[in-house]
């Protein structure tokens, strides 16, 4: 296998340049490949769950984990992002116990401690919804949330529930992309109204996801018990595999592992239990 | 107010007044012209801004017309608009069309005013656009719209165009961002010259230009302003403000003021210096003249008023000198008259005394004559009897003569060789060890009319004083010289020493009675010298510097010219009494 870095953000460029395998979540790329006869498309397992993290109110600590209405999440998945997305579906591994030994953070939404001073206005210069810079899906979600907060009294109730500081936010909300270091610092200092971040979602089960999250500084920072965040799942996102026909076969294990097969050994793309 | 003060005031006025007038006039003229120039620039810039805004609105309108035509032609977008088809095609349309059309603000609104597609804020999809549809649709020109993006807000110069599709009326609104770059373009690169363009809109403290103050000149263009980023959209008026800073003018004014102050100080210093110099040149000779006049009295008419100046002060000094000469002549005549009166009185006294003295003698002689005629034999006895009376009378007369001889010293005024007197004094002077005394005599020196004894006393006093001032070292020079000043011949005796010298204050008092600089001096020597010189019709002056020595100069009328001719003194020689 030869991995070729592409200088373009548009995955159609390497396809046209002769790449045999391209993994992309951009619907435009997938639609483009589907229109070409030389490529086969195979959706991959749902690999990320985008969550909305906001300061946990002390009074709400014992309440049930927040959820958004399915209609709203469908609207988000349909219009806010340019990716194959669906409303987030549980169960969510960070709400389940039993994976502490695997390095995953313990459940935080119900019993996690709040930040020492989540409402201190000195910690925030303005009301921003932060996302990891370079993540187009997170940016789309954050921008949609900003658009929703601009409706004045028509702000959706679920959003106010998820971000309880929203009504007292200092001025209009804005979206801001931060690099991992700055995002981690913003989480620690509470220097944002809310965070939109991807959390790993592994087919192998909650502990596998927890292991992956432990290696992701952004997800780890948001889900850390010390962050005292209220986590609202928004949407699941997956990518699709685009394979040039006749080059190789592809098999996907139950835990999501991709396996390349000899071109003559398997017919096209298949799944293995 | 002294003359010096008057000169100072006059100089200051003459130096400062024209400078102040020039500076104030220049300052006023420059300020007036620059202000007019700034006003013209502001008005020209405002006209250009008004034209640019109008043309930019037309450009936006043209581009919206092209986009509207594209929407109608694009089947997918058309279907989504009319039938609400699912998918991101309509949502993303404005995001793709906006940069292609060169716009910064683009929204497609359905007939109910909801956002179908937003180029500047994609996720504004499905939001009700507030008053954008009503305001922009009803506007005849460009409208300033404050729009929201995910990262913040911005102000766009926007127009709108209605779009009829499927019997429904959609609205396409677009515009260009009125950001700092846009405003700078309106300023046309005049920022360096102090010209700036700013947007003043309601609710934006940061974009509101500073209030109009004397430090800035402004002009404004009002435009409708729709704040669509607010929770409750409002329609108001915003202003494009062209401002010309008056800072360069203020800086120029400050610079001129600084230079004015510098020039003023310079002029003041120059005026003071000139005033001091002029006043000193004018007042110094007057002060000297006043000092000489202060020294004058009937006993001291030897003050020298001679001057070589050709100005009024010189004329005044010469007039004073002539007056002193007349005073001296008058004093001499007065003294002569007094002397004559005194001699007359003396003669009467002598006559009276002699008559008194002769009376017993005449009686004795008359008695002896009668005895000799009538009784010659008794003559011897009578003579012996009256001899004592005769002897007493004669003794009385002799005593009387001695007494008058002592009372009336001899006025021995005769032609005297001053060189001879000087030689005698130098020869007889006791020169202390380490000191020198020499003579520099003019061999053709004319004689003077005077008492040799008085002359000797003059020279002797001066030489002794000079030797005593040496303090054991240095030298004394006794010099004589003939001099002719106009029609008057004089003889000068100069005694110069290299001794201790005296200061100016002591020089002023050196000829006063009982004034002395010597520990055991009587203070009468130089006073007597001055009187003796005055009696001889001459004058004496002194020049001395502490530590460098003194020079006494005696000037006496010459009795005869150096060539042997006679020269009568202008004033009658006087004798010491």
């Amino acid at each position: 296998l030869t991995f070729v870095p592409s200088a373009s953000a548009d995955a159609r460029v390497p396809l046209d340049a002769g790449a045999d395998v391209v993994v992309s979540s951009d619907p435009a790329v997938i639609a483009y490949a589907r229109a070409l006869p030389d490529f086969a498309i195979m959706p991959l397992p749902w690999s990320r769950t985008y969550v909305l993290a906001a300061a946990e109110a002390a009074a709400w600590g014992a309440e049930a984990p927040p959820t958004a209405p399915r209609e709203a999440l469908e609207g988000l998945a349909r219009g806010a992002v340019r990716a194959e997305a669906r409303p987030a579906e549980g169960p969510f591994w960070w709400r389940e116990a039993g994976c502490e030994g695997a390095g995953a953070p313990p459940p935080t939404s119900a019993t996690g401690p709040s930040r020492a001073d989540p409402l201190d206005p000195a910690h925030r210069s303005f009301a921003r919804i932060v996302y990891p810079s370079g993540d187009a899906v997170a940016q789309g979600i954050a921008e949609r949330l900003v658009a929703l907060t601009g409706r004045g009294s028509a702000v959706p109730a679920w959003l106010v529930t998820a971000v309880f500081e929203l009504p007292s936010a200092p001025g209009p909300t804005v979206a801001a992309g931060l690099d991992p270091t700055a995002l981690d610092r913003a989480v620690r200092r509470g220097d944002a109204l809310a965070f939109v971040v991807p959390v790993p979602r592994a087919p192998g089960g909650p502990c596998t996801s927890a292991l992956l999250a432990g290696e992701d500084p952004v997800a780890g920072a948001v889900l850390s018990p010390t962050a005292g965040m209220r986590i609202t799942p928004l949407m699941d996102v997956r990518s699709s595999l685009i394979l040039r026909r006749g080059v190789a076969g592809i098999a996907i294990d139950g835990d999501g592992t991709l396996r390349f097969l000899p071109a003559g050994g398997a017919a096209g793309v298949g799944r293995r239990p | 107010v002294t003359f010096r003060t008057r000169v100072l005031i006059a100089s200051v006025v003459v130096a400062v007044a024209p400078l102040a007038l020039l500076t104030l006039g220049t300052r006023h003229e420059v300020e007036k012209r620059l202000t007019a120039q700034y006003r013209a620039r502001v008005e020209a810039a405002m006209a250009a801004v008004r034209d640019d805004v109008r043309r930019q609105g037309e450009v936006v309108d043209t581009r919206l017309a092209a986009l509207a035509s594209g929407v109608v032609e694009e089947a997918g977008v058309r279907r989504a608009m009319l039938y609400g088809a699912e998918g991101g095609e309509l949502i993303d349309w404005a995001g793709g069309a906006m940069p292609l059309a060169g716009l910064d603000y683009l929204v497609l609104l359905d007939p109910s005013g909801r956002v179908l597609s937003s180029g500047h804020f994609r996720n504004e999809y499905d939001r009700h656009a507030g008053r954008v549809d009503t305001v922009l649709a009803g506007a005849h020109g460009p409208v300033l719209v404050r729009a929201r993006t995910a990262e913040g807000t911005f102000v766009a110069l926007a127009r709108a165009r209605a779009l009829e599709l499927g019997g429904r009326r959609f609205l396409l609104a677009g515009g260009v961002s009125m950001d700092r770059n846009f405003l700078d373009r309106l300023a046309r690169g005049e920022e360096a010259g102090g010209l700036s363009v700013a947007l003043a809109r309601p609710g934006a403290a940061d974009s509101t230009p500073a209030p109009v103050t004397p430090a800035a000149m402004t002009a404004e263009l009002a435009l409708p302003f729709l704040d669509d980023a607010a929770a409750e959209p409002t329609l108001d008026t915003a202003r494009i403000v062209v401002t010309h800073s008056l800072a360069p003018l203020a800086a120029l004014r400050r610079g001129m003021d600084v230079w004015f102050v510098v020039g003023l100080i310079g002029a003041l210093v120059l005026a003071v210096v000139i005033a001091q110099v002029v006043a000193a040149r004018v007042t110094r000779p007057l002060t000297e003249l006043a000092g000489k006049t202060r020294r004058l009295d009937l006993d001291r008419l030897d003050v020298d008023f001679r001057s070589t100046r050709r100005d009024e002060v010189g004329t005044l000094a010469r007039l004073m000198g002539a007056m002193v000469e007349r005073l001296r002549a008058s004093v001499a005549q007065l003294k002569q008259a007094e002397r004559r009166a005194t001699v007359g009185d003396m003669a009467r006294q002598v006559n009276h005394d002699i008559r008194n003295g002769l009376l017993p003698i005449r009686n004795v002689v008359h008695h002896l004559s009668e005895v000799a005629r009538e009784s010659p034999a008794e003559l011897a006895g009578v003579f012996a009897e009256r001899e004592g009376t005769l002897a007493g009378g004669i003794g009385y007369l002799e005593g009387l003569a001695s007494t008058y001889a002592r009372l009336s010293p001899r006025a021995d005024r005769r032609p005297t060789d001053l060189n001879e007197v000087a030689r005698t004094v130098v020869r007889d002077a006791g020169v202390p060890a380490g000191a020198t005394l020499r003579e520099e005599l003019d061999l053709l020196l004319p004689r003077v009319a005077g008492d040799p004894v008085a002359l000797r006393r003059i020279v002797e006093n001066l030489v002794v004083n000079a030797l005593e001032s040496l303090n054991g070292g240095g030298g004394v020079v006794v010099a004589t010289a003939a001099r002719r000043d106009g029609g008057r011949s004089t003889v000068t005796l100069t005694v110069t020493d290299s001794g201790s010298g005296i200061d100016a204050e002591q020089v002023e008092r050196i000829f006063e009675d009982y004034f002395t600089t010597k520990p055991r001096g009587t203070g009468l020597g130089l006073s007597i010298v001055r009187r003796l010189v005055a009696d001889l019709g001459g004058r004496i002056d002194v020049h001395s510097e502490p530590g460098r020595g003194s020079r006494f100069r005696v000037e006496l009328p010459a009795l005869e010219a150096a060539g042997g001719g006679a020269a009568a003194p202008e004033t009658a020689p006087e004798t010491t009494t």
Side-chain angles (χ1 to χ4, degrees):
Chain A
L1 293 178
T2 302
F3 293 87
V4 180
S6 174
S8 173
D10 187 351
R12 288 171 288 196
V13 174
L15 276 182
D16 295 336
D20 296 322
V21 178
V22 169
V23 176
S24 174
S25 59
D26 188 344
V29 176
I30 295 169
Y32 179 71
R34 186 171 284 126
L36 300 175
D38 292 342
F39 292 98
I41 311 297
M42 179 180 183
L44 297 176
W46 300 99
S47 58
R48 286 167 292 165
T49 299
Y50 281 85
V51 301
L52 176 63
E56 177 68 275
W60 294 0
E63 294 182 357
T67 55
R70 186 163 184 82
E71 302 77 35
L73 296 183
E74 285 177 344
L76 276 180
R78 186 172 60 249
V81 299
R82 291 167 177 155
E84 190 173 1
R86 69 175 185 186
E89 292 184 1
F92 303 108
W93 60 265
W94 61 87
R95 292 179 178 173
E96 298 176 359
C99 292
E100 290 84 351
T108 59
S109 60
T111 58
S114 298
R115 288 175 299 179
D117 187 11
L119 297 177
D120 183 0
H123 288 174
R124 291 189 300 274
S125 55
F126 52 91
R128 57 182 184 175
I129 297 177
V130 170
Y131 60 90
S133 60
D135 188 331
V137 176
Q139 180 179 357
I141 296 172
E143 292 184 356
R144 173 55 62 93
L145 295 179
V146 168
L148 292 175
T149 62
R151 292 187 174 186
S153 59
V155 177
W158 70 268
L159 190 54
V160 177
T161 302
V163 185
F164 84 97
E165 292 178 339
L166 186 59
S168 59
T173 55
V174 297
L178 299 182
D179 61 47
T181 304
L183 195 149
D184 180 62
R185 186 166 57 247
V187 170
R188 294 180 189 281
R189 298 176 56 188
D191 192 16
L193 182 65
F195 300 86
V196 176
V197 296
V199 173
R201 179 189 178 95
C207 291
T208 305
S209 301
L211 280 172
L212 293 173
E215 299 171 356
D216 185 339
V218 174
V222 170
L223 298 176
S224 169
T226 58
M229 290 288 184
R230 184 178 184 86
I231 307 298
T232 304
L234 297 179
M235 68 175 66
D236 296 330
V237 174
R238 69 179 179 186
S239 299
S240 290
L241 185 138
I242 304 170
L243 177 67
R244 188 179 297 276
R245 298 181 187 277
V247 173
I250 290 290
I252 301 177
D253 290 348
D255 60 358
T257 303
L258 278 177
R259 294 183 183 278
F260 288 89
L261 305 175
V269 177
R271 290 180 185 275
R272 297 198 310 179
Chain B
V1 180
T2 63
F3 177 75
R4 184 182 296 264
T5 304
R6 290 178 181 174
V7 170
L8 180 61
I9 293 173
S11 301
V12 168
V13 170
V14 167
V16 171
L19 179 64
L21 282 175
L22 177 66
T23 303
L24 292 176
T26 306
R27 191 172 184 266
H28 173 72
E29 191 65 23
V30 168
E31 192 169 329
K32 189 174 72 175
R33 288 174 183 268
L34 280 181
T35 302
Q37 187 179 344
Y38 289 172
R39 170 56 62 192
R41 288 180 67 188
V42 167
E43 289 174 354
M46 191 71 252
V49 166
R50 191 177 291 111
D51 186 56
D52 277 0
V53 168
R54 180 186 56 77
R55 284 194 290 110
Q56 196 66 46
E58 292 173 356
V59 167
V60 169
D61 189 56
T62 303
R63 292 172 182 174
L64 286 177
L67 287 175
S69 136
V71 167
V72 172
E73 297 296 329
E74 202 163 337
V77 175
R78 181 177 183 135
R79 185 173 62 249
M81 289 171 65
L82 292 178
Y83 306 107
E86 292 292 332
E89 194 166 4
L90 184 58
I91 296 176
D92 292 335
W93 171 80
M98 186 179 76
L100 290 177
L103 300 176
D104 303 303
Y105 170 81
L106 182 64
V107 285
L108 177 61
L109 307 179
D110 69 6
S112 67
R114 301 185 73 81
V115 177
L116 293 178
S117 187
S118 172
H120 56 277
F121 192 2
R122 175 181 181 274
N123 274 298
E124 217 178 18
Y125 167 75
D126 203 31
R127 184 180 78 88
H128 194 279
R131 301 175 64 182
V132 171
D133 52 345
T134 56
V135 172
L136 288 183
H140 297 291
V143 175
L144 294 177
V145 176
R146 179 169 173 257
R148 193 172 185 211
T149 68
E151 291 81 17
T153 62
F154 72 102
V155 175
L157 182 72
R159 297 289 300 264
R161 177 168 282 267
L163 179 62
E164 294 287 342
L165 199 62
R168 300 167 65 189
R169 188 174 182 276
F170 295 85
L171 190 74
L172 192 60
V176 292
S177 173
M178 186 164 277
D179 55 9
R180 189 66 258 168
N181 291 333
F182 183 89
L183 295 172
D184 288 345
R185 283 198 301 275
L186 292 180
R188 286 179 165 75
E190 294 283 348
E191 298 91 337
L195 196 70
S196 63
V197 179
L199 176 64
R201 61 175 176 82
D206 57 338
S207 66
T208 302
V212 177
T213 66
M217 189 178 291
T218 63
E220 298 178 353
L221 172 63
L223 288 172
F225 173 72
L226 174 63
D227 189 355
D228 195 43
E232 298 296 332
T234 55
L235 180 63
D236 207 326
T237 301
R239 292 167 294 130
I240 296 177
V241 183
V242 175
T243 304
H244 198 302
S245 170
L246 296 183
L249 183 60
L252 180 65
R253 194 184 297 128
R254 281 196 301 275
M256 293 184 71
D257 289 345
V258 167
W259 280 111
F260 171 66
V261 171
V262 170
L264 189 66
I265 293 173
L268 280 174
V269 171
L270 196 61
V272 169
V273 170
I274 290 175
Q276 292 291 342
V277 170
V278 171
R281 289 179 67 88
V282 172
T283 59
R284 187 184 300 120
L286 289 175
T287 305
E288 292 174 355
L289 202 56
K292 290 180 179 178
T293 308
R294 195 179 302 115
R295 291 201 300 270
L296 276 177
D297 63 35
L298 288 180
D299 287 336
R300 294 189 58 178
L301 292 173
D302 55 348
V303 179
D304 187 2
F305 282 97
R306 283 177 297 182
S307 173
T308 58
R309 298 177 67 97
R310 296 181 179 275
D311 54 8
E312 293 80 353
V313 177
T315 303
L316 180 60
R318 284 189 285 275
L319 288 174
M320 295 285 288
M323 185 187 72
V324 169
E325 289 296 332
R326 288 196 298 274
L327 277 175
R328 290 171 64 184
S330 298
V331 167
Q333 290 173 2
L334 185 60
K335 287 184 177 180
Q336 188 71 21
E338 287 178 349
R339 198 158 37 243
R340 288 197 186 103
T342 303
V343 169
D345 290 343
M346 184 67 72
R348 281 189 293 274
Q349 182 67 35
V350 170
N351 179 52
H352 173 74
D353 290 343
I354 289 176
R355 282 178 183 274
N356 288 342
L358 288 177
L359 188 60
I361 295 174
R362 187 170 59 231
N363 292 338
V364 170
V365 171
H366 182 69
H367 185 205
L368 289 177
S369 296
E370 284 181 354
V371 172
R373 186 175 60 245
E374 294 175 2
S375 305
E378 296 175 1
L379 184 61
V382 174
F383 181 78
E385 182 185 345
R386 302 298 301 269
E387 186 180 6
T389 302
L390 282 176
I394 292 169
Y396 167 76
L397 289 175
E398 285 178 348
L400 193 65
S402 298
T403 300
Y404 281 120
R406 285 195 301 273
L407 289 175
S408 179
R410 230 174 14 176
D412 189 6
R413 295 181 61 206
R414 60 175 183 238
T416 304
D417 185 358
L418 187 58
N419 281 348
E420 186 58 34
V421 174
R423 285 192 197 96
T424 303
V425 171
V426 169
R427 184 189 63 220
D428 297 341
V431 180
T436 60
L437 174 61
R438 59 189 176 87
E439 55 190 34
E440 294 178 359
L441 305 179
D442 185 353
L443 298 180
L444 298 179
L445 193 71
R447 296 183 177 188
V448 298
D451 183 357
V453 175
L455 287 170
R456 176 170 180 140
R457 291 180 67 189
I458 291 170
V459 179
E460 223 167 31
N461 265 296
L462 295 178
V463 170
V464 168
N465 279 348
L467 290 172
E468 286 178 352
S469 74
L470 296 180
N471 295 324
V476 175
V477 176
V478 179
T480 58
R483 185 177 172 187
R484 190 164 188 84
D485 186 8
R488 183 173 178 235
S489 292
T490 57
V491 168
T492 302
L493 169 73
T494 306
V495 179
T496 307
D497 66 72
S498 59
S500 55
I502 54 177
D503 58 29
E505 186 180 353
Q506 291 171 327
V507 167
E508 288 292 320
R509 303 184 57 195
I510 196 70
F511 293 114
E512 292 180 3
D513 292 340
Y514 308 114
F515 177 81
T516 180
T517 59
K518 293 180 286 189
R520 284 179 292 180
T522 61
L524 291 173
L526 289 174
S527 173
I528 291 173
V529 167
R530 184 181 63 81
R531 288 196 182 92
L532 291 174
V533 171
D535 287 344
L536 293 175
R539 60 167 62 95
I540 182 171
D541 60 33
V542 59
H543 174 77
S544 182
E545 290 183 35
R548 300 190 63 179
S550 305
R551 185 196 66 209
F552 287 82
R553 188 168 61 94
V554 175
E555 189 177 290
L556 298 170
L559 188 59
E560 56 190 22
E570 290 185 351
T571 58
E574 299 169 8
T575 55
T576 303
T577 59

